[in-house]
Amino acid sequence: MVTVSYLSRILINPRRRDGQVLLTNPHVAHGMITAGIVDPDADRPLWRIDVDNPHRPHLLVLTRTSPDWTHIIEQAGWPASDTEQVLTRDYSPALAHVQIGRQFGFRLAASPTQSLKNPQKPGPNHQPPAHGERRRGQRVAHRTAAHQLTWFLQHCQHWGFEIPEARTGPLSAPDAEAPRNIRISARDQKRFQKQPGSPATITITTATFEGVLTVTDPETLRTAMTTGIGPSKAYGCGLLTLAPLPPSAHG
């Protein structure tokens, strides 16, 4: 069953102070996004910042209810401009096109991690287990491009798709059976505070994956598209978007 949801594309002004903060501090961005939703606790939006053009970055937001982004345009956009700065569309038709065997171009900003029981560098919140308590693994970020790409390729079947072989160029992780049609277009590590001046710092390691996917399980893929992939969803990770391939890509 296709879930009713809305995908918004919001133009951000990187020269305004609030625009710069939104683009660089995921906690601030999350707060501005939830301010545009009637019930953010129930909605749990997914979002991502796309910077194909550094002078005109876009904020993508997926919500379950129809949002209002007026405040973002007023604070971080061009409020006096006649240019269309917000585009919101019903996401149901895009989800309905997800059918087994179909291929799409995709983009995903994610935070690849692994669970380690004995990390070499435990995080600030790590606590050893009490006597008799089962040891729990700590989530640790994959920091190299090779490990991040391997993480993606090992998990994509669980998200309802596979990555086809690449037709040109070595685009896959080392030791893969064949080059795959995927690349990491951006890597970043964000450090920020929830409150200005707070001693507690949040660190998120991210990678943006782009390429071509083939649908293997439509329902599972639709679920991944609407509920997100991986951790740190509140901080701009997990939103997988698809795009039709040009005719040349199929043949």
Side-chain angles (χ1 to χ4, degrees):
M1 181 177 179
V2 177
T3 303
V4 176
S5 51
Y6 300 87
L7 183 66
S8 299
R9 190 168 182 259
I10 310 162
L11 188 63
I12 303 299
N13 186 345
R15 295 186 177 182
R16 295 187 66 181
R17 181 182 179 278
D18 287 340
Q20 293 175 359
V21 174
L22 184 152
L23 293 171
T24 57
N25 189 317
H27 180 69
V28 172
H30 176 70
M32 295 181 73
I33 290 167
T34 55
I37 304 169
V38 174
D39 189 353
D41 291 331
D43 199 319
R44 293 186 178 274
L46 297 172
W47 62 277
R48 185 180 78 218
I49 293 174
D50 284 350
V51 194
D52 299 283
N53 182 342
H55 302 293
R56 296 169 64 87
H58 286 88
L59 171 64
L60 291 182
V61 188
L62 183 67
T63 58
R64 296 183 182 179
T65 55
S66 182
D68 179 5
W69 307 123
T70 304
H71 64 292
I72 293 184
I73 296 303
E74 291 177 345
Q75 299 173 37
W78 287 267
S81 174
D82 293 333
T83 302
E84 185 178 41
Q85 298 179 61
V86 177
L87 182 63
T88 299
R89 292 287 184 266
D90 182 356
Y91 205 42
S92 301
L95 295 173
H97 284 132
V98 175
Q99 300 296 333
I100 191 166
R102 289 200 64 178
Q103 290 192 331
F104 297 91
F106 74 88
R107 178 177 288 178
L108 168 71
S111 180
T113 61
Q114 59 182 323
S115 180
L116 298 179
K117 290 185 177 181
N118 297 291
Q120 293 182 352
K121 294 182 179 181
N125 298 322
H126 178 71
Q127 295 182 352
H131 180 70
E133 183 182 13
R134 183 179 179 181
R135 180 180 294 274
R136 297 180 180 180
Q138 182 183 1
R139 184 178 291 169
V140 178
H142 286 299
R143 300 188 183 278
T144 69
H147 286 148
Q148 291 168 344
L149 202 51
T150 298
W151 170 87
F152 184 95
L153 292 172
Q154 289 178 341
H155 287 82
C156 63
Q157 283 283 1
H158 298 291
W159 303 324
F161 62 88
E162 63 184 10
I163 305 300
E165 293 184 11
R167 298 185 179 183
T168 57
L171 302 178
S172 72
D175 303 325
E177 294 181 358
R180 299 290 167 178
N181 203 333
I182 182 175
R183 70 188 181 99
I184 295 179
S185 59
R187 302 174 62 236
D188 195 9
Q189 188 175 78
K190 297 183 183 297
R191 293 185 176 90
F192 55 94
Q193 286 83 27
K194 285 189 174 183
Q195 300 295 333
S198 171
T201 300
I202 298 174
T203 301
I204 298 176
T205 301
T206 65
T208 300
F209 302 92
E210 297 182 9
V212 174
L213 63 78
T214 302
V215 181
T216 57
D217 186 334
E219 194 61 34
T220 298
L221 178 51
R222 293 188 196 110
T223 298
M225 293 172 65
T226 53
T227 61
I229 288 175
S232 301
K233 298 182 184 69
Y235 295 134
C237 297
L239 176 58
L240 171 69
T241 54
L242 307 184
L245 293 174
S248 60
H250 294 282

